[in-house]
Amino acid sequence: MDKSNEKDNSKYAVVMEKIVKRFPGVLANDHVDLFVKRGEIHAIVGENGAGKTTLMNQLYGLIKSDSGKIYVNGVETRIENPNDAINAKIGMVHQHFMLVNRLSVVENIVLGMEPVRGPFFARDSACKQINELSKKFGLFVDPDAIIEDLPVGIQQRVEIIKVLYRGAEILILDEPTAVLTPQETEELFEILRALKAQGKTVIFITHKLHEVMAITDSVTVMRLGKVTGVVKTSDTNPRELARMMVGRDVLLRVEKGSAKIGKEIFRVENLHVNENRGLEAVKGLNFSVKRGEIVGIAGVAGNGQSELIEAITGLRKVEEGRVIFKGVNITNFSPKRRRDMGMSHIPEDRLKHGLVLDFPLYYNFILGKHDNPRFCDGEFLRLIDIKRFSDELVKRFDVRPPIINLLGENLSGGNQQKVIIAREFSFNPDFIAISQPTRGLDIGAIEFIHKTIISMRDQGVGMLLISMELEEIFSLSDRILVMYEGQIMGEVTPQKTTTEEVGLMMAGHKLEDLRTQEA
Amino acid sequence: MNAWIQAIISVFANPIFYKSTLNQSTPLILAALGGVYSETTGVVNIALEGIMLIGAFGGVVGSYFTGNPWYGLALGILLGVAMAALHAWATIRYAGDQIISGTALILLAQGITGFSLVELFGKPGSTDLVRSIPLVNLGSFENVPFFGRIFSSLSPLVYIAFASVAFSWFLIYKTRLGLRMRSVGNNPEAADTLGVNVYNIRYFGVLMSGVFASLGGAFLSIGELGQFTENMSNGRGFIALAAMIIGNWSPTGAMWAAILFGAASAFNDQLQSQGILHLATNTQYLFGMIPYIITLIVVGGLVGRSRAPSADGIPYIKD
């Protein structure tokens, strides 16, 4: 770091100096320095657990630093709670959205800064302001929609508008693209560019290196609580960044052999499923999955993928059509019966549906198999066997720290996902429905999970993979189905298509239309 | 069988049944509203039963010593709010278990009222008769057939109860404060990051539950008769909680559910006072169960459709 920069803080929107934050047993931030120029897009990259979010939580006043100073626009600023941050015109979009699910979009956005008319909340003027912001930055939302009915992609827009509504000049985005499609990501980037053009400063936490290259001006790399590199984006490349992040060379693309495809194991016929409000979300889907292949479903969040996977795994009622597994019509089977038949599920939301957060790991490892005679003797759990089994899994799936008495909530996101994958893969399933397996995970964990998925495929397991991550769909799938508004726009193989073609299908163009246009 | 049908028809044809429904619903509506305030902000308040009891007792004591039932009402509310403040202090300030605190307060209210009853009035069981809040005279409207008899000589608290429902609905759904209450009850962490003071909002919700529950209690003692009897609330606080749940934590929903329970209770009273049916004492007890059986059936039938605020019952502890 240039010495003259350290003296003159005034050209920086944010300077964080020698920040130290200690959690019990962990030094989360070890004398971290951060310099963010005014009007730039600054990336903070690093693996999960590197301390990026901890650092930003201190900037936003959610947690207090043990030591260190923060300067905003050259002025030393004490930020002890989010109100101080808001007053300093700092806004944050959290990785786990801070939205009140039962309230509407408009209510969530204005909460804490509500316009009033006399004694009443002036809903219409709030809506007007929101519509203006929506138009200005291309963030379109229905102000009257209830948050819990919205897909995550839209919820994120609400979060961004919420920050803008508070007049933020410095926006912290904590892994904003983890749930977005390429088009949505491009839209987000457009928004970020618009923000930058208007002089706003953006701090962008991510571990997707191509995004860093595409949108940011400079990068701070963190590893294990320390800054391991500060570079201008134009002076670096993904390989170098990856090395600074992980401390070793990483494979940026998953290696896989060709699939040994077997007999059909799973099929849906004319499947119709409704979403929470009773509107049709899946509109007559037909597809099948064979042993030893990965069928990827690409699509923008909220086009019926969640409803589809819930219907397949028995968590949601099928309105019409059939689900066939191993030749048996399982449409009305309970999730338990499906699991007993050899179906596994890696759910979209690992915190809500994947783990019991306040159970120790060894219980989480046997969830759903707790009545297996291996773990259960009549009514009594065989704790010794359960723990031995868990110790094995922790080693095999490289869960860190490898302590089976830890509670689910004490693990990082990547390790939580490893626990789920370990559980779902370890009971020799024949078919696995996988949803967003690497959402929000770091490169190291993604590499591991992708390898594991490929190795299951090579053992002859049929897999359905739903992901908003087009790169993931392309690198794992043997066939790709593109879903739009509950229907399949077309089927392609990753070798014979392009990101653009799939992107157009995700936007609602049918494959046959695209191909005839070309011809 | 004929006698039964005849009895039921004559109950429904009698304006007294409707009048009695209004009177029986009023304390339930008020207490259920209290529950709505508290739980909308995320604090479960089963102490409603105890707050009603202390409100009823305070009403009589105030009226007895001042001769003015309105001062009695004020004392009742004061004691109710004080009791709610204890609940708030234990559950918000110290993040104590809300069910345990509520249970303790119910027992405390029974102890205090039972003890003070003997101390102040010199005998257990019930107090002397005191002046009750004057009933509302509607003048010539009372000559209107049927309806005149329903609405003649109702306590002003009946009108206050219904006005409170409208007031609360506006407060919770149409004002800034109401929006903050709902946000704190559903996701206090999110509200906190936006600068909403979670603790203050929760204090407000719990104290308001004290106001309304003690108002409901005071209706029992000085709304009509002007007397307090031991353990006068007699489970109404719990029925009010059920009304709140069936009403899906909304003021209007809670009101309709409270009216349903009030009507069930009024129906039971009227059926027995018909004189057509000559029921043995044990059968009368059986009839007394009607409101509670309705509770079970309705709760069983509606439980899937009714959703508590997401953070209801969970203390908020700032890291």
Side-chain angles (χ1 to χ4, degrees):
Chain A
M1 184 60 51
D2 189 344
K3 267 274 178 262
S4 63
N5 283 352
E6 282 188 46
K7 293 286 171 225
D8 178 20
N9 286 335
S10 62
K11 68 177 190 183
Y12 294 103
V14 174
V15 174
M16 297 179 83
E17 203 178 84
K18 300 205 169 47
I19 299 290
V20 178
K21 179 68 195 176
R22 194 182 298 273
F23 289 123
V26 202
L27 192 53
N29 284 158
D30 184 1
H31 295 87
V32 173
D33 293 319
L34 176 73
F35 296 85
V36 182
K37 284 204 189 85
R38 201 169 303 123
E40 74 165 351
I41 301 179
H42 188 101
I44 300 180
V45 297
E47 291 197 289
N48 285 333
K52 308 174 301 249
T53 303
T54 305
L55 185 69
M56 288 301 107
N57 281 345
Q58 291 165 78
L59 182 56
Y60 191 62
L62 286 173
I63 51 179
K64 273 184 199 141
S65 316
D66 295 336
S67 68
K69 285 176 180 168
I70 296 172
Y71 300 86
V72 180
N73 292 319
V75 183
E76 186 177 347
T77 311
R78 289 180 70 84
I79 298 176
E80 297 196 327
N81 57 50
N83 268 340
D84 292 346
I86 293 167
N87 289 336
K89 296 200 180 300
I90 297 173
M92 181 160 178
V93 175
H94 302 266
Q95 187 178 3
H96 299 292
F97 300 151
M98 292 281 187
L99 293 170
V100 186
N101 278 335
R102 305 273 185 87
L103 300 188
S104 66
V105 168
V106 52
E107 288 172 331
N108 265 284
I109 290 171
V110 301
L111 181 61
M113 284 186 71
E114 308 86 346
V116 287
R117 189 176 301 119
F120 295 112
F121 163 47
R123 189 191 182 91
D124 48 347
S125 83
C127 285
K128 212 178 124 209
Q129 272 174 278
I130 289 163
N131 282 330
E132 276 166 19
L133 282 172
S134 295
K135 261 185 220 142
K136 195 165 161 193
F137 297 105
L139 288 155
F140 294 102
V141 286
D142 171 10
D144 291 319
I146 302 296
I147 296 293
E148 63 187 349
D149 296 331
L150 295 175
V152 275
I154 308 290
Q155 291 186 10
Q156 184 182 55
R157 289 187 194 177
V158 177
E159 283 279 28
I160 295 176
I161 299 176
K162 204 165 97 180
V163 167
L164 293 172
Y165 176 83
R166 288 173 166 68
E169 291 297 325
I170 300 160
L171 284 88
I172 307 166
L173 304 177
D174 192 356
E175 302 198 10
T177 59
V179 289
L180 304 183
T181 61
Q183 275 85 356
E184 278 179 310
T185 302
E186 197 39 59
E187 280 170 33
L188 175 70
F189 287 176
E190 279 308 313
I191 293 158
L192 296 187
R193 286 186 195 111
L195 291 169
K196 184 180 154 185
Q198 298 193 22
K200 307 216 177 204
T201 309
V202 178
I203 302 175
F204 184 89
I205 302 181
T206 187
H207 36 234
K208 290 186 202 161
L209 300 175
H210 63 275
E211 292 174 355
V212 173
M213 301 310 295
I215 185 79
T216 66
D217 299 305
S218 52
V219 191
T220 298
V221 187
M222 288 182 72
R223 189 160 80 87
L224 301 172
K226 287 183 184 151
V227 172
T228 52
V230 181
V231 285
K232 269 189 153 167
T233 311
S234 51
D235 298 343
T236 187
N237 60 58
R239 189 158 294 276
E240 186 190 31
L241 289 174
R243 205 179 310 117
M244 286 192 275
M245 269 169 71
V246 186
R248 61 177 167 88
D249 280 317
V250 234
L251 278 177
L252 291 176
R253 207 170 177 88
V254 61
E255 282 181 349
K256 60 170 183 179
S258 58
K260 290 179 280 298
I261 292 171
K263 277 196 275 182
E264 177 184 294
I265 178 127
F266 178 85
R267 180 156 47 104
V268 299
E269 291 174 356
N270 188 29
L271 191 72
H272 290 264
V273 187
N274 289 350
E275 39 94 293
N276 289 344
R277 288 169 297 182
L279 303 174
E280 198 171 44
V282 175
K283 300 167 183 166
L285 286 199
N286 291 291
F287 66 85
S288 67
V289 179
K290 300 192 185 69
R291 282 184 182 276
E293 78 165 342
I294 300 176
V295 176
I297 295 199
V300 179
N303 273 286
Q305 300 98 318
S306 310
E307 287 80 5
L308 170 66
I309 212 147
E310 285 174 12
I312 287 173
T313 51
L315 299 172
R316 187 177 282 270
K317 199 176 133 224
V318 171
E319 300 297 325
E320 200 189 321
R322 301 199 302 165
V323 181
I324 291 156
F325 179 43
K326 293 181 172 175
V328 184
N329 180 355
I330 59 159
T331 314
N332 295 315
F333 281 22
S334 67
K336 172 78 182 146
R337 242 176 122 183
R338 293 176 204 227
R339 292 178 76 87
D340 289 345
M341 282 176 70
M343 182 189 279
S344 267
H345 178 204
I346 293 170
E348 176 181 322
D349 188 335
R350 58 178 164 264
L351 300 177
K352 233 189 249 171
H353 301 127
L355 291 176
V356 180
L357 290 176
D358 45 15
F359 270 12
L361 295 192
Y362 57 84
Y363 282 145
N364 273 302
F365 277 127
I366 59 151
L367 285 181
K369 298 284 177 185
H370 49 276
D371 53 355
N372 186 318
R374 199 174 146 195
F375 305 123
C376 177
D377 180 8
E379 285 304 311
F380 295 98
L381 291 172
R382 297 169 177 270
L383 271 178
I384 294 170
D385 294 302
I386 290 170
K387 289 186 174 175
R388 193 174 300 143
F389 171 75
S390 304
D391 274 324
E392 241 169 72
L393 286 188
V394 156
K395 277 192 208 104
R396 217 171 96 206
F397 288 85
D398 189 31
V399 177
R400 278 181 266 178
I403 304 168
I404 61 166
N405 290 324
L406 278 184
L407 301 186
E409 63 188 357
N410 295 339
L411 292 187
S412 70
N415 285 299
Q416 286 174 340
Q417 190 72 337
K418 283 184 193 168
V419 170
I420 297 169
I421 285 177
R423 176 181 71 219
E424 298 298 316
F425 283 13
S426 62
F427 295 102
N428 303 319
D430 297 301
F431 172 74
I432 312 178
I434 306 176
S435 190
Q436 304 265 61
T438 59
R439 179 187 169 185
L441 302 191
D442 58 62
I443 296 185
I446 292 174
E447 196 186 12
F448 182 86
I449 286 167
H450 282 179
K451 271 189 199 158
T452 316
I453 289 175
I454 295 292
S455 81
M456 281 310 269
R457 178 198 77 165
D458 293 342
Q459 289 169 36
V461 179
M463 297 196 209
L464 183 72
L465 169 73
I466 290 183
S467 176
M468 311 301 147
E469 216 71 69
L470 202 45
E471 226 185 296
E472 179 165 82
I473 293 275
F474 267 82
S475 59
L476 291 180
S477 311
D478 299 303
R479 283 190 288 142
I480 299 173
L481 303 171
V482 185
M483 215 169 151
Y484 173 76
E485 294 199 337
Q487 288 174 319
I488 288 175
M489 292 290 111
E491 180 185 325
V492 289
T493 55
Q495 295 80 24
K496 290 186 188 151
T497 187
T498 57
T499 332
E500 288 71 39
E501 187 174 67
V502 172
L504 284 169
M505 285 195 272
M506 285 162 72
H509 299 275
K510 282 209 161 70
L511 180 65
E512 57 250 39
D513 299 343
L514 293 173
R515 296 259 158 111
T516 48
Q517 267 173 26
E518 274 173 35
Chain B
M1 203 60 213
N2 243 343
W4 278 95
I5 296 168
Q6 204 188 334
I8 290 170
I9 290 174
S10 65
V11 167
F12 282 116
N14 190 343
I16 297 302
F17 162 70
Y18 299 96
K19 185 183 176 68
S20 167
T21 296
L22 288 176
N23 278 325
Q24 303 260 19
S25 311
T26 295
L28 298 178
I29 291 173
L30 287 166
L33 270 185
V36 168
Y37 274 92
S38 180
E39 301 211 3
T40 296
T41 65
V43 182
V44 170
N45 190 355
I46 65 162
L48 292 181
E49 172 79 7
I51 297 173
M52 284 182 93
L53 191 63
I54 207 121
F57 185 69
V60 166
V61 171
S63 179
Y64 178 78
F65 283 106
T66 63
N68 183 337
W70 292 104
Y71 288 147
L73 188 67
L75 181 65
I77 291 174
L78 198 70
L79 292 177
V81 170
M83 183 148 269
L86 280 178
H87 186 58
W89 178 70
T91 60
I92 303 171
R93 174 80 170 76
Y94 290 106
D97 187 282
Q98 299 169 2
I99 301 294
I100 293 175
S101 164
T103 308
L105 287 173
I106 294 170
L107 298 174
L108 183 70
Q110 287 170 352
I112 289 176
T113 52
F115 170 76
S116 311
L117 179 61
V118 180
E119 284 295 305
L120 295 175
F121 297 90
K123 61 181 166 66
S126 60
T127 63
D128 305 340
L129 283 176
V130 299
R131 288 185 64 182
S132 60
I133 293 171
L135 304 177
V136 178
N137 191 324
L138 292 176
S140 60
F141 180 79
E142 298 196 353
N143 300 327
V144 175
F146 199 75
F147 293 102
R149 283 189 64 201
I150 295 179
F151 292 104
S152 69
S153 317
L154 282 173
S155 167
L157 292 179
V158 176
Y159 298 100
I160 288 175
F162 285 93
S164 300
V165 171
F167 169 79
S168 305
W169 186 84
F170 272 104
L171 179 78
I172 292 174
Y173 294 108
K174 295 291 164 193
T175 70
R176 169 159 69 181
L177 179 60
L179 173 59
R180 292 180 177 192
M181 288 168 69
R182 286 179 289 137
S183 71
V184 164
N186 277 300
N187 191 343
E189 207 184 355
D192 196 11
T193 58
L194 296 175
V196 173
N197 189 321
V198 174
Y199 297 132
N200 285 355
I201 299 280
R202 287 195 164 179
Y203 272 113
F204 173 77
V206 176
L207 293 182
M208 286 300 273
S209 81
V211 172
F212 285 105
S214 56
L215 204 55
F219 174 83
L220 295 175
S221 64
I222 53 172
E224 284 188 305
L225 194 60
Q227 190 183 33
F228 176 84
T229 53
E230 217 170 310
N231 204 10
M232 187 166 213
S233 47
N234 196 18
R236 283 184 184 84
F238 292 108
I239 297 280
L241 279 177
M244 172 197 74
I245 293 167
I246 293 163
N248 205 4
W249 284 266
S250 95
T252 43
M255 175 192 79
W256 289 115
I259 289 175
L260 175 71
F261 290 133
S265 176
F267 177 77
N268 171 41
D269 292 351
Q270 293 303 309
L271 197 62
Q272 296 194 30
S273 65
Q274 281 295 310
I276 300 168
L277 301 168
H278 300 286
L279 299 173
T281 317
N282 56 353
T283 326
Q284 285 174 16
Y285 277 110
L286 216 55
F287 271 76
M289 299 190 326
I290 287 178
Y292 306 97
I293 290 171
I294 288 186
T295 311
L296 285 175
I297 293 170
V298 178
V299 169
L302 284 182
V303 80
R305 266 186 283 163
S306 171
R307 282 167 77 207
S310 317
D312 198 10
I314 306 165
Y316 182 64
I317 303 164
K318 256 183 117 129
D319 305 316

